[in-house]
Amino acid sequence: MKNLYIALSFVAISTSVFAQNKDTKAADKLFSRYEYVSAAKEYQKLVDNGKGDGYVYKQLADTYYNMFNTAEAATWYAKATETAQDAETYFRYAQMLKANGKYEEANKQMSKFATMVPNDLRAKAYKENPNYLPKLASKESGYTVNSLQVSSDKSDFGAVMYDNTVYFSSARNGAKKNYGWINEPFLDIYKSVLGDNGTYSEPTAISELNSRFHDGTLTISADGNTCYFSTESFKDKAYEKVKSLNSKFSQIYLYKATKQGDTWADFKLLPFNSKEYSTGNPSLSRDGKTLYFSSNRPGSIGGVDIWKVTINGDSYGEPENLGSKVNTEGNENFPFISDDNATLYFASNGKPGLGGLDIFKIDLAKGSDAVNMGRPINTEKDDFGFTFNKAKNLGFLSSNRNGNDDIFSATPICSVDLLTVVTNAKTGEILANAKVSILDDKKNVIATETSNDKGEVNFKIECDKPYSIQASKDGFEGNVFAVAKSKGPTAKVDAALQPIDVIVTPTEIILKPIYFEFDKSNITQEGAFELDKLVQVMKNNDKLVIYAKSHTDRRGSDDYNLTLSERRAQATVQYVISKGIPAERISGKGFGETEPKVVCDKCTEEEHAQNRRSEFLIVK
């Protein structure tokens, strides 16, 4: 049913005059009246009677496309494209294939589309990154998405929350006449209140905003006293009567209403509506100065574009198209502007997406490109109508991912953008190309990056969890820096690394003890930091030859400890060699418990640890 607000009167009737004939007349008439359920049956009859051809297949495919029956649409587009078709047919075919997860085949159709219309923005975006789908499919948006209990077995969409009340459009009113597009009742505007227990009240229709025809979606001012809402132009007795089709065609109009007591009244038709095009799906900035909306008005890049208009009391400026960073030759719709008037969310089927409509966001303040919000906000199906209530930290979106237009909640996963800056601890100099890792509280390495020319590395971490940053660079002592628990949205760690300054005597290179864990011989992170100092000294003096001695504590048998210390010695040697030091310049041997650093009968844990060590003697 959201197709109504994507394209009521926006649908380009794709019937080619030369292809129509007396056999298709009945089906074409139903198609032209947007009665797609009935039209599909009539076209199917032609196919069943052996009268199918490229035109009939395309019409049948477009019928299912407009109802978002992706499987049937893809089937009939496949038949239609056995003969030459217009570029838009190949684009729609690709969209339906993506909606069914057939990305490789979708790319083939997009290639044909891009060849036919190389200057189309959608074609350019595809050619710039033809293999975007695997990356996009794995992108996570940082939200948890769940079905909202206000949804019914009919179309429900366009939810937006003000205070504790959710407003949305729904076809649940069985008393209303059915609309031929998908054979559901006309839409009404409803509201539901979020209770303290986290449940929503039974939705109720806002009778003063609803008419006999389609009504919704709406936006409400910050003070709660003004709303703008979409409705069909039948409300203003504006329509086009087409005698040949025995039908009346309306547009989508925007109205303004003012709160009087507990009801909406004083309805005013906005001056930039027109019976020549549609204007709908409003979103009002929190300062009340800008109204965003969708329209196919003159100046649109594609079928439906996102526009904005300034508001000054009861007067309005000239509507402005948001341009090619937002709009394409496809359809862009369902705008929502964030509380700070900086981020615009919208739906598009013209920008690279997972299939059908996808939800995008763009930072209007920075003028950056629109970004696909990724899974689970987007799926292969139609995903649209994203809104966000900052005070509640709660978003909503609409999707037919379960087969019907339903409303879903979108709860942000609490995360922190962690900035690490690596510097020289003595001089404060920025250190580029340092190795920086983020570790969880169990010391598992989650990700590793290299610092940029500003010494910076960015990680995204979960809120209220402890982490640590591990940083290292040739010529500097590696170190670990604690990251305190944070609720975000940002945090910073200054990773100041000490230049390596090792004590070298005539006989020994003195490092902090290279301790090993009990009964283990692997090099620990702390041990690696110390061995990196040895490596640096050996790189600075290529004449040095080192002999490593490894020792154990007294626990275990003499033979076992000798074997364990030998493993530790060889692990130490192998680590140094792995850093580029020639094997002939370092050797090692295990001495077991024969040379304790601390002589003790009943050793403490600390004394045992001091005896589990490696030492480095200068041989040459």
Side-chain angles (χ1 to χ4, degrees):
M1 184 63 78
K2 78 278 167 184
N3 284 322
L4 168 78
Y5 282 92
I6 296 168
L8 180 59
S9 313
F10 302 165
V11 176
I13 305 302
S14 58
T15 50
S16 302
V17 175
F18 68 87
Q20 299 179 38
N21 55 57
K22 60 181 179 63
D23 292 326
T24 66
K25 185 176 180 180
D28 290 338
K29 184 175 181 179
L30 291 166
F31 186 96
S32 299
R33 293 171 56 175
Y34 313 132
E35 296 182 21
Y36 296 122
V37 174
S38 299
K41 293 178 181 178
E42 291 299 318
Y43 287 124
Q44 186 66 57
K45 287 179 184 178
L46 294 175
V47 173
D48 294 341
N49 292 331
K51 296 181 180 180
D53 57 19
Y55 171 77
V56 171
Y57 299 145
K58 179 180 181 300
Q59 289 299 101
L60 193 51
D62 283 344
T63 299
Y64 285 116
Y65 175 90
N66 287 321
M67 293 187 289
F68 204 76
N69 184 329
T70 60
E72 289 291 339
T75 296
W76 294 109
Y77 279 131
K79 292 284 290 180
T81 54
E82 290 175 0
T83 57
Q85 297 289 345
D86 61 288
E88 199 66 24
T89 296
Y90 293 101
F91 178 78
R92 289 187 171 194
Y93 185 16
Q95 291 290 96
M96 295 298 95
L97 288 166
K98 283 193 290 183
N100 288 288
K102 298 180 179 179
Y103 297 136
E104 186 174 343
E105 182 59 30
N107 275 359
K108 292 178 182 178
Q109 303 307 319
M110 281 300 296
S111 294
K112 294 177 183 177
F113 168 76
T115 300
M116 295 175 73
V117 285
N119 293 323
D120 188 292
L121 293 175
R122 296 167 293 176
K124 290 180 179 179
Y126 169 75
K127 287 189 289 187
E128 287 172 0
N129 190 11
N131 297 313
Y132 73 91
L133 276 165
K135 183 178 180 180
L136 180 57
S138 64
K139 177 183 176 182
E140 294 290 337
S141 65
Y143 288 84
T144 299
V145 173
N146 292 297
S147 296
L148 204 68
Q149 67 189 70
V150 301
S151 293
S152 68
D153 61 348
K154 299 294 191 295
S155 292
D156 305 281
F157 64 92
V160 60
M161 174 177 272
Y162 297 107
D163 295 324
N164 288 323
T165 303
V166 176
Y167 300 85
F168 61 97
S169 295
S170 178
R172 68 185 66 204
N173 187 353
K176 267 195 169 184
K177 179 182 177 182
N178 275 15
Y179 180 61
W181 192 309
I182 58 172
N183 201 30
E184 280 193 349
F186 282 75
L187 296 164
D188 274 342
I189 301 173
Y190 284 78
K191 67 179 180 179
S192 174
V193 179
L194 176 62
D196 294 336
N197 60 357
T199 61
Y200 292 84
S201 65
E202 182 66 24
T204 57
I206 307 177
S207 57
E208 64 268 29
L209 296 181
N210 295 321
S211 67
R212 293 170 49 207
F213 302 99
H214 289 295
D215 303 291
T217 54
L218 63 65
T219 183
I220 299 177
S221 61
D223 63 9
N225 293 325
T226 303
C227 85
Y228 295 87
F229 67 100
S230 307
T231 190
E232 284 194 76
S233 59
F234 286 127
K235 186 183 184 81
D236 204 52
K237 299 181 180 178
Y239 54 84
E240 179 185 1
K241 189 172 184 178
V242 181
K243 291 183 178 179
S244 62
L245 297 176
N246 189 29
S247 187
K248 297 176 182 178
F249 292 92
S250 70
Q251 301 288 353
I252 300 296
Y253 275 7
L254 282 179
Y255 281 82
K256 175 183 177 181
T258 305
K259 200 69 171 290
Q260 294 184 1
D262 293 330
T263 63
W264 295 103
D266 191 22
F267 299 106
K268 294 180 180 179
L269 182 67
L270 298 193
F272 47 88
N273 289 300
S274 172
K275 64 179 182 181
E276 302 299 324
Y277 47 80
S278 282
T279 307
N281 291 328
S283 180
L284 181 65
S285 62
R286 292 293 81 196
D287 61 11
K289 296 179 179 180
T290 308
L291 184 69
Y292 295 84
F293 61 92
S294 57
S295 178
N296 65 332
R297 63 191 300 115
S300 294
I301 295 173
V304 185
D305 279 8
I306 308 295
W307 294 73
K308 69 176 181 178
V309 66
T310 57
I311 302 174
N312 185 10
D314 290 328
S315 64
Y316 301 85
E318 185 67 24
E320 300 175 47
N321 189 288
L322 291 194
S324 59
K325 285 188 177 293
V326 172
N327 297 311
T328 69
E329 285 86 349
N331 291 315
E332 280 69 43
N333 212 320
F334 298 96
F336 178 78
I337 189 67
S338 62
D339 286 353
D340 59 4
N341 205 27
T343 303
L344 180 76
Y345 301 90
F346 64 97
S348 173
N349 65 5
K351 292 183 176 294
L354 293 170
L357 288 167
D358 269 20
I359 297 168
F360 292 78
K361 65 178 180 180
I362 184 170
D363 190 325
L364 298 178
K366 294 180 179 179
S368 54
D369 291 330
V371 177
N372 188 297
M373 291 187 69
R375 298 183 188 276
I377 295 294
N378 291 316
T379 65
E380 290 79 8
K381 306 303 181 183
D382 274 340
D383 307 289
F384 58 101
F386 183 90
T387 66
F388 193 81
N389 185 300
K390 185 177 181 180
K392 298 292 183 183
N393 195 38
L394 180 62
F396 301 91
L397 64 98
S398 307
S399 177
N400 65 356
R401 64 187 65 185
N402 293 336
N404 192 51
D405 288 343
D406 286 324
I407 297 170
F408 295 79
S409 64
T411 306
I413 298 171
C414 187
S415 63
V416 180
D417 290 319
L418 175 66
L419 171 65
T420 300
V421 181
V422 188
T423 59
N424 183 320
K426 285 192 174 180
T427 67
E429 177 189 4
I430 292 296
L431 296 182
N433 299 314
K435 180 182 177 182
V436 182
S437 300
I438 182 78
L439 287 71
D440 64 17
D441 58 350
K442 294 181 175 59
K443 297 186 178 182
N444 297 312
V445 176
I446 300 170
T448 300
E449 301 288 346
T450 301
S451 62
N452 60 21
D453 56 3
K454 295 180 180 179
E456 297 175 342
V457 173
N458 291 285
F459 295 109
K460 188 176 286 291
I461 59 176
E462 291 186 52
C463 294
D464 295 322
K465 285 190 176 183
Y467 293 86
S468 58
I469 287 291
Q470 181 177 288
S472 61
K473 181 177 172 64
D474 283 350
F476 293 82
E477 296 182 18
N479 208 343
V480 177
F481 305 87
V483 180
K485 294 180 181 180
S486 172
K487 293 186 180 297
T490 61
K492 183 181 178 183
V493 169
D494 293 314
L497 300 182
Q498 293 287 346
I500 288 178
D501 187 12
V502 183
I503 298 174
V504 181
T505 72
T507 60
E508 186 178 4
I509 295 176
I510 301 176
L511 303 176
K512 293 178 183 177
I514 309 300
Y515 294 132
F516 293 89
E517 294 179 5
F518 173 66
D519 201 32
K520 293 183 179 180
S521 59
N522 59 291
I523 303 297
T524 64
Q525 181 60 70
E526 292 79 4
F529 286 155
E530 287 303 305
L531 288 176
D532 286 342
K533 297 179 186 179
L534 173 64
V535 171
Q536 189 64 44
V537 171
M538 296 182 75
K539 285 182 176 180
N540 292 343
N541 187 343
D542 60 7
K543 304 297 183 183
L544 278 177
V545 177
I546 300 298
Y547 178 58
K549 297 175 67 177
S550 288
H551 308 271
T552 67
D553 58 34
R554 295 179 58 190
R555 289 175 290 190
S557 68
D558 291 350
D559 289 343
Y560 179 83
N561 284 338
L562 196 62
T563 301
L564 177 61
S565 65
E566 181 65 20
R567 294 205 314 268
R568 289 174 174 173
Q570 296 311 313
T572 300
V573 168
Q574 291 302 307
Y575 180 87
V576 173
I577 293 173
S578 74
K579 295 297 181 177
I581 301 299
E584 61 269 19
R585 293 183 57 200
I586 185 166
S587 60
K589 183 179 179 181
F591 288 81
E593 59 183 88
T594 60
E595 297 182 4
K597 186 177 182 67
V598 179
V599 178
C600 51
D601 291 328
K602 295 181 179 180
C603 300
T604 65
E605 282 300 320
E606 182 180 349
E607 290 170 332
H608 280 310
Q610 290 184 59
N611 286 331
R612 298 192 301 270
R613 70 198 190 280
S614 288
E615 300 168 314
F616 305 96
L617 305 181
I618 297 175
V619 176
K620 178 180 177 183

